[in-house]
Amino acid sequence: MKKLLLLGISFLISLSFGLKAQEKVERWNRVEFVWNTSFKGNGYQDVEFKAIFIHSDTTLIIPGFFDGNQTFKLRFMPTRLGTWKYTTISNVPGLSKKTGTLECVTPSAQNHGPVKTNGLHFSYSDGKNYYPLGTTAYAWNHMGEALQSLTLNSLKNSGFNKIRMCVFPKNYDLVKEEPEHFPFVLKENKRDDKGNMIPVWDYSQFNPKFFQQLETHIEALQKIGMEADLILFHPYDKGRWGFDAMPQEINNKYIKYLLARISSFRNVWWSMANEWDYVKSKTVDDWDELTATLIKSDPYRHLCSIHGSTATYYDYWKPAFTHVSVQDESPAQSPNAAAMLRNVYHKPVILDEVGYEGNLKSRWGRYSPETLTHLIWNGIMGGAYVTHGESYMFEDHRDTIFWAKGGRFKGESWKRVGFLRQILEDGAGPLSLSDVSRDNVTSSSGKGQYLVYFGKQIQEFWTFNLPINNGAFGKLTTGTRFKVDIIDTYGMTIQTLPEIFETGKENDYRFYDKGYKKIRLPEKPYLALRIREIR
Amino acid sequence: MKKLLLLGISFLISLSFGLKAQEKVERWNRVEFVWNTSFKGNGYQDVEFKAIFIHSDTTLIIPGFFDGNQTFKLRFMPTRLGTWKYTTISNVPGLSKKTGTLECVTPSAQNHGPVKTNGLHFSYSDGKNYYPLGTTAYAWNHMGEALQSLTLNSLKNSGFNKIRMCVFPKNYDLVKEEPEHFPFVLKENKRDDKGNMIPVWDYSQFNPKFFQQLETHIEALQKIGMEADLILFHPYDKGRWGFDAMPQEINNKYIKYLLARISSFRNVWWSMANEWDYVKSKTVDDWDELTATLIKSDPYRHLCSIHGSTATYYDYWKPAFTHVSVQDESPAQSPNAAAMLRNVYHKPVILDEVGYEGNLKSRWGRYSPETLTHLIWNGIMGGAYVTHGESYMFEDHRDTIFWAKGGRFKGESWKRVGFLRQILEDGAGPLSLSDVSRDNVTSSSGKGQYLVYFGKQIQEFWTFNLPINNGAFGKLTTGTRFKVDIIDTYGMTIQTLPEIFETGKENDYRFYDKGYKKIRLPEKPYLALRIREIR
């Protein structure tokens, strides 16, 4: 409980931008209320300000926030169609008891709402399937404006629909840029024992410019269909700014302030940390506490996970985490390995770092485009999702390394991710292995809907055959007729075969074509077959 | 709380077999107290009888049990050296307030106490490493006496140190024998709609003979160094006896009675179920309740897990479970896949069914001996354990199928398990991958102690090289000298090479011999290298 320190008589101006009384708001769009007031005291810590939004039996408590310059804001994302009533509550009389209504209307075509989990997969809030095919640019948002625009343009012209990015700036090999803005107001610069300049922050004062810039980026990402998988903490600071080692009380305040500002953005996801176990200042109990703070601060329950170093698995079964977001190559080594994680956690799995396509000396940053594309396919076939990243070393100071700074894609796998996304979106639904732990190449997205992926195996012929088991979609039967497309996952071609295949009798857990028809394959690796029932 | 129904005056005889006042008992051996009494009422449900055993700050409450024939018994396994005092408590006056002491002395050479978890592995209570290398004979204990002896003899002459076996008899394809004894007294036989004879059990009366036979078997297994991984419930009943579908109250009573009888046997493990998800009468909540009953009934906290059908993972992170006991082939497909499960659960992992060596039509029962041996090695290299099983079809009515009935081993992989066990016991400790998720062939058991396993890969030469990372054992350094043995894991030979290898400078995460010495390998699959530092 913060003590209210209002000195003198405050004077409040109430403004409501983007919304007039009874104005219509699209479902899952954002409404912003703005009030200006002059008062003495610290708006970040001395003012309590929230609103209660009510829609029939739904009640949401939405925190407001101080945006500097005597301005208080409150942002709301209506989650249900129809009339919402609101009342504000504050320890500042002029911010209190503001009431009104707003009418939530059907969203426009490009607005599908926040992404939610849907069994072992994901969908938008309107039910449309969402297949996370993300990339990584940890600190693109802390580069100059020109580079930020370039990055947004690259993303717009890619097939990605998610980006992992850090709220705090990054101080790491290959990315040491000083950001334009910082989350707190600078108190002073000190010199440490070695003569290095160390900033001392006034933790009682956030810097709205820092957060406004982040909001601009989230908004820009939303416009191009990208989810912002925001990393709240990371270890890449190394004593430079100290954001990895703030007092726990400040960590909690930061989360509350950040979420008051941005949880109304429908395309945000929360990643508590990147490589949480490398943040040496925090224990597992600390992370659990911060995660609890986050969930309490999020009226919308956006997706939430946490990411560790290689093969370091947090206890993802804790109810706080909506999905698994793990750094590990092992689950991407085969579809069955990826499927294991789903079977273990009973939650959707994203392999948010299996290494990056690039040419670094570090082994995490030197996969061939073929290898990264292959790992992404392995994950997808196993019913999990694999995040892309690209780490081609910059050639000069005008050049960038996408993994850290964004910029232009230089690799090849990013294009294949777009190709894969199209295949998924043309399919009947998300994939799961048809015959888990027994058949490592066949996955299905529905009754009569298969993908077979051969990975690195090269073969001249393939005899048409499918397993009798088809996951949750029942069993295959005799006399089912199929068309087959040969997909070159790396060459990005799809060739539809003229023949029709028809299942004969069951033969040792599998069905072959009744005439044992075979398919001639190009003698290449990374081929897949799309097999679809003719109805 | 059960109501006491003692009719008339009970008369009690107190006897103490195997123990006189102040007699010495080996640590982790079993002491049995016996009292005979004639009384009216039901000894199984109307008598409460337990003893409190105290040793300085350790207090154990040990339940007694009715053994039929007016006999009550109480069994105790002293867990600490020195003097234990005991007092009995009962609602039968003559069973109550019996007091005495016993002196617990240093165990003999073959007695290492119960197996416990030790980090991600196992050890006996005296600290000796225990590497679970078990086999499976679900219903051997329900076959005739001659076959039981044959099975015990086969186990004695094998390298196995654990067997999975069911408490209840089994009614399944290839094993339909009627057991000699049943756990309950028969009330009557009824005919169902189809005319089948259905036994109706008197659940208020256990049949001591059934349990006495089980105890004889556990004791016999202990004598030959075998842990009894006892399966408390299973789905293989199919309406014949109904032990898979008893009322939950009876399930709980059965667990309490069983544990009162046998938790003092140091070589018991609890497996709540085999294929729990196929037991259609029980929900996950039921299993959790039964597991809670079990833990409450076990003063010694023996190892406890639960086993599901293929790729069905129970929530093994629940504190009740000491380790993971899972049916799934996927984790045995590579050392990295096996290691994933350890990383996820932070508990030891036993793959208690990856399929069996045999010649059945069912795909779970037709692995080649090479394949099963290979899967066992994959698990071991990944720091997990893989259970053996053999399912060669019986040829006539005198023949058996080991997986269900026991008998003689007919396969080849069982010998390779003995060979592997020797290698493990000659090693420095349990194995873990040296460079997890990066190097899928190198595992280490300590500083300077490696096994490299090539699996199916055949190669003429191997250039000496090891990863810089060595798990928890620190990093490898330049100038370390090694001797190498070539192990044929299937051929069961070990060949020590005369050369000494010495690490040069670090080379891209690895160390090679300073002269890039290579080793000529036999051109065979399933080879391993044992690489040990010379100190």
Side-chain angles (χ1 to χ4, degrees):
Chain A
M1 303 301 282
K2 280 130 219 138
K3 204 180 157 197
L4 181 63
L5 285 173
L6 289 176
L7 306 177
I9 297 159
S10 63
F11 112 74
L12 263 72
I13 300 169
S14 169
L15 288 175
S16 170
F17 292 123
L19 179 81
K20 302 238 161 53
Q22 291 294 352
E23 198 160 339
K24 288 176 169 53
V25 184
E26 265 187 39
R27 189 178 185 188
W28 305 307
N29 260 0
R30 193 169 60 260
V31 177
E32 183 173 281
F33 300 86
V34 183
W35 286 273
N36 285 351
T37 172
S38 78
F39 70 102
K40 290 186 180 176
N42 182 335
Y44 299 107
Q45 59 183 21
D46 303 330
V47 177
E48 290 173 34
F49 175 37
K50 62 188 172 190
I52 299 178
F53 283 79
I54 298 178
H55 177 301
S56 47
D57 59 349
T58 302
T59 299
L60 296 178
I61 298 172
I62 307 294
F65 61 92
F66 185 52
D67 199 34
N69 291 324
Q70 300 165 339
T71 305
F72 289 89
K73 292 183 176 171
L74 193 144
R75 292 167 178 164
F76 175 60
M77 173 176 71
T79 53
R80 295 181 62 179
L81 296 173
T83 307
W84 291 82
K85 293 182 186 181
Y86 63 85
T87 311
T88 64
I89 298 172
S90 178
N91 58 0
V92 175
L95 286 175
S96 188
K97 294 179 188 160
K98 304 279 176 187
T99 61
T101 61
L102 59 92
E103 189 67 20
C104 174
V105 300
T106 305
S108 54
Q110 293 311 305
N111 173 1
H112 303 286
V115 175
K116 302 282 175 186
T117 62
N118 187 355
L120 298 180
H121 295 279
F122 299 90
S123 60
Y124 290 101
S125 293
D126 70 354
K128 180 180 154 75
N129 285 320
Y130 172 81
Y131 308 104
L133 290 165
T135 189
T136 313
Y138 289 119
W140 75 275
N141 44 320
H142 296 295
M143 304 297 118
E145 219 170 282
L147 184 47
Q148 289 166 10
S149 296
L150 182 60
T151 303
L152 287 168
N153 198 53
S154 297
L155 293 172
K156 185 182 171 187
N157 296 317
S158 75
F160 297 117
N161 58 13
K162 176 170 97 75
I163 187 163
R164 275 181 74 74
M165 55 187 279
C166 299
V167 175
F168 292 134
K170 188 168 176 180
N171 179 41
Y172 194 73
D173 290 346
L174 313 180
V175 48
K176 301 199 174 292
E177 281 81 349
E178 189 77 355
E180 196 182 347
H181 305 293
F182 288 100
F184 300 98
V185 170
L186 187 71
K187 197 187 275 177
E188 57 175 324
N189 276 309
K190 274 192 174 171
R191 285 195 187 277
D192 67 8
D193 299 348
K194 292 170 190 163
N196 297 319
M197 198 78 97
I198 303 289
V200 179
W201 305 106
D202 177 358
Y203 287 137
S204 78
Q205 295 202 70
F206 291 104
N207 173 16
K209 282 208 171 64
F210 176 90
F211 295 94
Q212 288 158 4
Q213 186 187 48
L214 178 66
E215 289 152 12
T216 306
H217 291 144
I218 298 171
E219 187 75 23
L221 289 168
Q222 186 188 294
K223 285 213 173 75
I224 56 172
M226 303 278 298
E227 300 293 306
D229 190 2
L230 290 174
I231 297 163
L232 269 64
F233 296 94
H234 65 65
Y236 323 116
D237 191 300
K238 302 173 186 225
R240 181 159 160 194
W241 307 299
F243 301 134
D244 59 338
M246 304 188 294
Q248 185 75 343
E249 183 201 346
I250 305 305
N251 294 331
N252 279 306
K253 275 191 185 173
Y254 151 69
I255 290 173
K256 288 179 197 166
Y257 186 71
L258 179 71
L259 266 71
R261 297 195 65 112
I262 66 168
S263 61
S264 55
F265 288 68
R266 67 171 172 265
N267 62 324
V268 293
W269 300 23
W270 316 124
S271 180
M272 290 306 299
N274 215 61
E275 299 190 320
W276 63 268
D277 50 316
Y278 288 166
V279 181
K280 295 304 175 195
S281 64
K282 293 183 187 60
T283 64
V284 167
D285 284 348
D286 290 339
W287 289 117
D288 281 346
E289 182 195 332
L290 295 175
T291 307
T293 297
L294 176 121
I295 287 172
K296 221 177 137 185
S297 308
D298 179 6
Y300 311 106
R301 195 64 167 101
H302 289 284
L303 295 172
C304 172
S305 196
I306 187 168
H307 168 281
S309 70
T310 296
T312 301
Y313 287 75
Y314 207 88
D315 287 349
Y316 292 108
W317 48 81
K318 290 178 178 172
F321 303 111
T322 51
H323 63 287
V324 176
S325 160
V326 76
Q327 175 176 177
D328 199 3
E329 297 90 312
S330 288
Q333 284 170 3
S334 80
N336 270 331
M340 269 170 62
L341 285 189
R342 297 177 5 144
N343 299 336
V344 161
Y345 288 114
H346 318 302
K347 287 184 183 181
V349 171
I350 304 182
L351 308 178
D352 263 324
E353 202 173 324
V354 297
Y356 305 116
E357 178 189 344
N359 59 2
L360 300 186
K361 280 199 176 174
S362 299
R363 54 188 178 176
W364 54 261
R366 64 187 191 191
Y367 286 167
S368 70
E370 290 86 352
T371 290
L372 184 56
T373 307
H374 172 59
L375 295 176
I376 292 169
W377 267 82
N378 274 343
I380 285 285
M381 292 293 293
Y385 300 91
V386 180
T387 300
H388 170 270
E390 193 181 276
S391 55
Y392 284 100
M393 186 61 188
F394 44 81
E395 283 167 15
D396 56 38
H397 72 278
R398 283 162 307 202
D399 193 13
T400 64
I401 177 165
F402 201 94
W403 148 83
K405 305 182 184 187
R408 281 194 184 86
F409 290 116
K410 301 180 198 171
E412 291 294 329
S413 58
W414 70 274
K415 301 171 203 164
R416 277 76 191 169
V417 172
F419 178 71
L420 168 59
R421 183 172 165 194
Q422 203 50 58
I423 290 169
L424 289 173
E425 295 195 342
D426 288 348
L431 290 162
S432 296
L433 283 169
S434 309
D435 191 14
V436 70
S437 292
R438 309 289 192 166
D439 177 335
N440 203 20
V441 301
T442 313
S443 206
S444 43
S445 61
K447 191 171 173 323
Q449 303 291 316
Y450 300 89
L451 277 180
V452 172
Y453 176 59
F454 297 120
K456 296 185 180 181
Q457 196 185 323
I458 299 172
Q459 55 199 333
E460 199 179 351
F461 293 103
W462 181 73
T463 306
F464 179 95
N465 76 100
L466 288 169
I468 179 168
N469 289 333
N470 189 14
F473 306 112
K475 301 216 169 187
L476 183 55
T477 51
T478 303
T480 311
R481 297 163 72 237
F482 291 97
K483 288 281 283 178
V484 176
D485 302 319
I486 299 177
I487 299 174
D488 182 340
T489 69
Y490 196 77
M492 297 189 286
T493 59
I494 300 179
Q495 175 200 352
T496 300
L497 298 181
E499 304 98 302
I500 287 172
F501 300 85
E502 184 177 335
T503 51
K505 286 187 185 163
E506 189 197 338
N507 181 340
D508 196 28
Y509 298 96
R510 299 191 81 84
F511 283 99
Y512 289 76
D513 172 71
K514 62 181 181 178
Y516 290 93
K517 264 186 213 160
K518 61 186 182 180
I519 293 170
R520 177 101 192 240
L521 295 172
E523 289 181 62
K524 284 180 179 178
Y526 311 122
L527 295 183
L529 303 173
R530 182 164 60 187
I531 304 177
R532 293 187 281 194
E533 186 178 346
I534 306 166
R535 283 179 190 150
Chain B
M1 300 302 280
K2 279 131 220 137
K3 205 179 156 198
L4 180 63
L5 286 172
L6 287 176
L7 305 177
I9 297 157
S10 63
F11 112 74
L12 265 71
I13 300 168
S14 166
L15 288 175
S16 168
F17 291 123
L19 180 82
K20 303 240 161 47
Q22 289 295 352
E23 198 159 338
K24 288 174 168 52
V25 184
E26 265 188 38
R27 190 178 185 188
W28 304 308
N29 260 359
R30 192 170 61 259
V31 178
E32 182 174 282
F33 301 86
V34 182
W35 285 273
N36 285 351
T37 172
S38 77
F39 70 102
K40 292 187 181 173
N42 182 336
Y44 299 108
Q45 59 183 21
D46 302 331
V47 178
E48 291 174 33
F49 175 38
K50 61 188 172 188
I52 300 179
F53 284 79
I54 299 178
H55 178 301
S56 46
D57 60 349
T58 302
T59 299
L60 296 179
I61 296 171
I62 308 294
F65 61 92
F66 185 52
D67 199 32
N69 290 326
Q70 299 165 342
T71 305
F72 288 89
K73 292 183 176 172
L74 192 145
R75 292 167 177 164
F76 175 58
M77 173 176 71
T79 53
R80 295 181 63 179
L81 296 173
T83 305
W84 289 82
K85 292 183 185 178
Y86 64 85
T87 310
T88 64
I89 297 171
S90 177
N91 56 2
V92 176
L95 285 174
S96 188
K97 295 177 189 163
K98 304 279 174 187
T99 61
T101 61
L102 61 93
E103 188 68 19
C104 174
V105 299
T106 305
S108 54
Q110 293 312 306
N111 173 0
H112 302 288
V115 174
K116 302 279 175 190
T117 62
N118 187 354
L120 298 181
H121 295 277
F122 299 90
S123 60
Y124 291 100
S125 294
D126 70 353
K128 179 179 155 74
N129 285 321
Y130 172 82
Y131 308 104
L133 291 166
T135 189
T136 313
Y138 289 120
W140 75 274
N141 44 318
H142 295 296
M143 303 296 118
E145 218 169 282
L147 184 48
Q148 289 166 10
S149 296
L150 182 61
T151 304
L152 286 167
N153 198 53
S154 297
L155 293 172
K156 185 181 172 188
N157 295 318
S158 76
F160 296 118
N161 58 15
K162 176 169 97 72
I163 187 162
R164 275 181 74 73
M165 55 188 277
C166 300
V167 175
F168 292 134
K170 189 169 175 179
N171 179 39
Y172 194 72
D173 290 346
L174 311 180
V175 46
K176 301 197 174 291
E177 281 80 349
E178 189 76 356
E180 196 181 348
H181 305 293
F182 288 100
F184 299 98
V185 171
L186 186 71
K187 196 187 278 179
E188 57 174 323
N189 276 309
K190 274 194 176 170
R191 286 197 186 275
D192 68 7
D193 299 347
K194 292 170 191 162
N196 297 318
M197 199 78 97
I198 304 289
V200 179
W201 305 106
D202 177 359
Y203 287 137
S204 77
Q205 294 200 71
F206 291 104
N207 172 17
K209 282 208 169 67
F210 176 90
F211 295 95
Q212 287 159 5
Q213 187 188 47
L214 178 66
E215 289 153 13
T216 307
H217 291 145
I218 299 171
E219 187 75 23
L221 290 168
Q222 186 188 293
K223 285 213 172 75
I224 56 172
M226 303 279 297
E227 301 292 306
D229 192 1
L230 290 175
I231 296 163
L232 271 63
F233 295 93
H234 65 66
Y236 323 116
D237 191 302
K238 301 172 187 222
R240 180 160 161 193
W241 307 300
F243 301 134
D244 59 338
M246 304 187 294
Q248 183 75 341
E249 183 201 346
I250 305 305
N251 294 330
N252 279 306
K253 274 192 185 171
Y254 150 69
I255 290 173
K256 287 179 197 166
Y257 185 71
L258 178 72
L259 266 70
R261 296 195 67 110
I262 65 169
S263 63
S264 55
F265 288 67
R266 67 173 171 265
N267 61 325
V268 293
W269 299 24
W270 316 124
S271 180
M272 289 306 299
N274 215 62
E275 298 190 319
W276 64 268
D277 49 316
Y278 287 168
V279 182
K280 294 304 175 196
S281 64
K282 295 183 185 61
T283 63
V284 168
D285 283 348
D286 290 338
W287 289 116
D288 281 346
E289 183 196 331
L290 295 175
T291 307
T293 297
L294 177 122
I295 287 172
K296 220 176 139 186
S297 308
D298 179 6
Y300 311 107
R301 194 65 167 99
H302 290 283
L303 295 172
C304 172
S305 196
I306 187 168
H307 168 281
S309 69
T310 296
T312 302
Y313 288 75
Y314 206 89
D315 287 350
Y316 292 108
W317 47 82
K318 290 179 177 171
F321 303 112
T322 52
H323 64 288
V324 176
S325 161
V326 76
Q327 175 175 179
D328 199 4
E329 296 90 312
S330 289
Q333 283 171 3
S334 81
N336 270 332
M340 269 170 62
L341 285 189
R342 297 175 6 140
N343 298 336
V344 161
Y345 288 114
H346 318 302
K347 287 185 183 180
V349 172
I350 305 183
L351 308 178
D352 263 323
E353 202 173 326
V354 297
Y356 305 115
E357 177 188 344
N359 60 0
L360 300 187
K361 280 197 176 174
S362 299
R363 54 188 179 178
W364 54 261
R366 63 187 192 191
Y367 285 168
S368 70
E370 290 86 351
T371 291
L372 184 56
T373 308
H374 173 58
L375 295 176
I376 292 170
W377 267 83
N378 274 345
I380 285 285
M381 293 294 292
Y385 300 92
V386 180
T387 299
H388 170 270
E390 194 180 274
S391 55
Y392 284 100
M393 186 60 190
F394 43 81
E395 285 167 15
D396 56 38
H397 72 279
R398 284 161 306 203
D399 193 14
T400 64
I401 178 165
F402 201 94
W403 149 82
K405 305 184 185 187
R408 282 194 183 86
F409 290 115
K410 300 179 198 172
E412 291 295 328
S413 58
W414 70 275
K415 302 171 201 163
R416 279 74 190 169
V417 173
F419 178 73
L420 168 59
R421 182 170 166 195
Q422 203 50 59
I423 290 168
L424 289 173
E425 294 194 344
D426 288 349
L431 290 162
S432 297
L433 284 169
S434 310
D435 192 14
V436 70
S437 293
R438 308 289 191 166
D439 176 336
N440 202 21
V441 300
T442 313
S443 205
S444 43
S445 61
K447 194 174 171 318
Q449 305 290 317
Y450 300 89
L451 277 180
V452 173
Y453 175 60
F454 297 120
K456 296 186 179 181
Q457 196 185 326
I458 298 172
Q459 55 198 333
E460 198 178 352
F461 293 103
W462 182 74
T463 305
F464 180 96
N465 76 99
L466 288 169
I468 180 168
N469 289 334
N470 189 14
F473 306 112
K475 300 216 170 189
L476 183 56
T477 51
T478 304
T480 311
R481 297 164 70 239
F482 291 97
K483 288 281 284 179
V484 176
D485 302 319
I486 299 176
I487 298 174
D488 182 341
T489 68
Y490 195 79
M492 297 189 285
T493 60
I494 301 179
Q495 175 201 353
T496 300
L497 298 181
E499 305 96 304
I500 287 172
F501 300 85
E502 184 177 334
T503 51
K505 285 186 186 161
E506 188 196 339
N507 180 340
D508 195 29
Y509 298 96
R510 299 190 80 83
F511 283 100
Y512 289 76
D513 172 73
K514 62 181 182 180
Y516 290 92
K517 263 186 214 163
K518 62 186 181 179
I519 291 170
R520 175 101 191 241
L521 294 173
E523 289 181 63
K524 285 181 180 178
Y526 311 121
L527 295 182
L529 303 173
R530 182 164 60 188
I531 303 177
R532 293 187 283 196
E533 186 177 347
I534 306 166
R535 284 181 188 147

